[in-house]
Amino acid sequence: PRLSGDKHVVVVGGGIAGLAAATALAERGARVTLLESSPTLGGRVAAWELGDGRTMSRGFHAFFRQYYNLRALLRRADPGLSRLVPVADYPLQRPDGLRDTFTGLPTVPPWSIIGFVKRSPTFTAASLAGVNIPAAMSLLRVRFPQTYHDLEGVSAAEFLDRLRFPPAARDLFLEVFARSFFADPHDFGAGELVAMFHTYFMGSAEGLLFDVPDDDYDRALWAPLGAHLAGLGVDVRTGVAVEQLALSPGGARVTHAQGSVDADAVVLATDPRAARDLVAGATVASGAGAASG
């Protein structure tokens, strides 16, 4: 459905959340102004010039194929996702030479995980005999948020101890998720470990295969999406830091260093600290309401 009448929305933040919000609103007929404090779009997955002809990108290193919403967003500017290059495999290798591969597996769960275990050199008949089957089954019976509740206060290391997985399989098959976040398994939540295992092995057919951009994030992803938004009529402004929000029954005023913008509504798509600061400093006139999510 499309909006009726002229509705102006200011989106604060030009990361993935802000770009997605601006896209959805503009496609439905809203007049959108996007304000991003950095010189480029992308937020936590932005890129910037180093001054010597090179660029630096930050953020997740892989665009996994079960990032359905993100890929749908990128298709707005690149329908064939031609700027994402497939990576053939994501091998995991231990110092002792044991190596697991994720290419060529069945794509339908649970056959994908069965095929992986059957092919993996880290699982042997003798080692599997010692696995705690009831605990291992909890990897399959995932329910959120109940799973998080059940594993509250349990570390990934403690959970892996319960499973009694073979040490090599523990390293390659499960502990890799904690290491991917630069976290010691003793400091990483078991609920997050189970959630990631489920996402990559049981919750989708894509497994651990992924794509990477063919250039830095700005040139390959966010600048084309910004141009697409401009084509939809979105006023995209970078280098504009929002300083204050003023809410009234008639809408909102968004103040930044270069002036202010009046709108019918505001979407806060900043990082949590900036959002908290803006909400804490907001002025609310009598009769105005505010919602956050």
Side-chain angles (χ1 to χ4, degrees):
R2 291 181 61 84
L3 294 171
S4 59
D6 179 40
K7 299 294 183 182
H8 182 206
V9 183
V10 172
V11 176
V12 182
I16 293 176
L19 291 168
T23 300
L25 288 163
E27 289 177 345
R28 286 157 179 79
R31 187 161 47 92
V32 180
T33 299
L34 175 65
L35 304 178
E36 165 57 42
S37 60
S38 299
T40 59
L41 300 171
R44 294 182 181 178
V45 283
W48 61 93
E49 300 285 343
L50 295 179
D52 58 2
R54 297 177 300 161
T55 58
M56 175 69 72
S57 297
R58 69 177 177 192
F60 36 78
H61 67 287
F63 288 72
F64 287 95
R65 293 169 192 165
Q66 56 271 75
Y67 292 175
Y68 306 122
N69 292 337
L70 175 58
R71 293 167 79 89
L73 177 65
L74 295 176
R75 286 184 190 277
R76 302 309 210 280
D78 180 12
L81 294 181
S82 61
R83 304 305 300 266
L84 293 181
V85 179
V87 175
D89 196 7
Y90 188 10
L92 302 175
Q93 183 162 323
R94 286 167 46 94
D96 59 13
L98 288 179
R99 180 185 178 95
D100 274 304
T101 177
F102 294 94
T103 190
L105 293 173
T107 58
V108 179
W111 304 114
S112 52
I113 192 66
I114 293 172
F116 176 83
V117 170
K118 183 178 179 181
R119 190 175 70 182
S120 172
T122 60
F123 289 94
T124 64
S127 65
L128 287 174
V131 171
N132 181 343
I133 299 301
M137 290 300 293
S138 66
L139 291 169
L140 309 181
R141 295 190 298 264
V142 176
R143 298 289 184 274
F144 296 109
Q146 186 61 41
T147 294
Y148 284 127
H149 175 76
D150 294 342
L151 294 173
E152 179 69 27
V154 179
S155 71
E158 183 182 347
F159 179 75
L160 293 172
D161 289 341
R162 293 180 188 175
L163 292 180
R164 299 200 300 269
F165 261 43
R170 168 177 172 146
D171 287 347
L172 286 174
F173 197 35
L174 292 168
E175 209 169 271
V176 63
F177 294 115
R179 302 298 185 190
S180 295
F181 283 81
F182 305 101
D184 187 282
H186 292 86
D187 300 322
F188 194 74
E192 294 297 329
L193 178 82
V194 172
M196 280 189 249
F197 173 89
H198 179 76
T199 297
Y200 290 110
F201 288 106
M202 300 300 297
S204 68
E206 288 80 5
L208 280 173
L209 299 182
F210 58 85
D211 306 318
V212 295
D214 65 358
D215 204 334
D216 70 67
Y217 287 1
D218 185 57
R219 282 193 281 244
L221 307 175
W222 313 131
L225 190 55
H228 171 74
L229 288 175
L232 292 176
V234 177
D235 182 5
V236 180
R237 306 184 196 177
T238 57
V240 177
V242 172
E243 299 174 344
Q244 190 174 29
L245 301 177
L247 306 180
S248 67
R253 172 164 290 181
V254 181
T255 302
H256 52 82
Q258 290 81 31
S260 62
V261 182
D262 292 326
D264 297 289
V266 178
V267 175
L268 290 184
T270 68
D271 64 83
R273 181 175 61 181
R276 283 194 296 267
D277 290 344
L278 285 172
V279 171
T283 61
V284 183
S286 176
S292 63

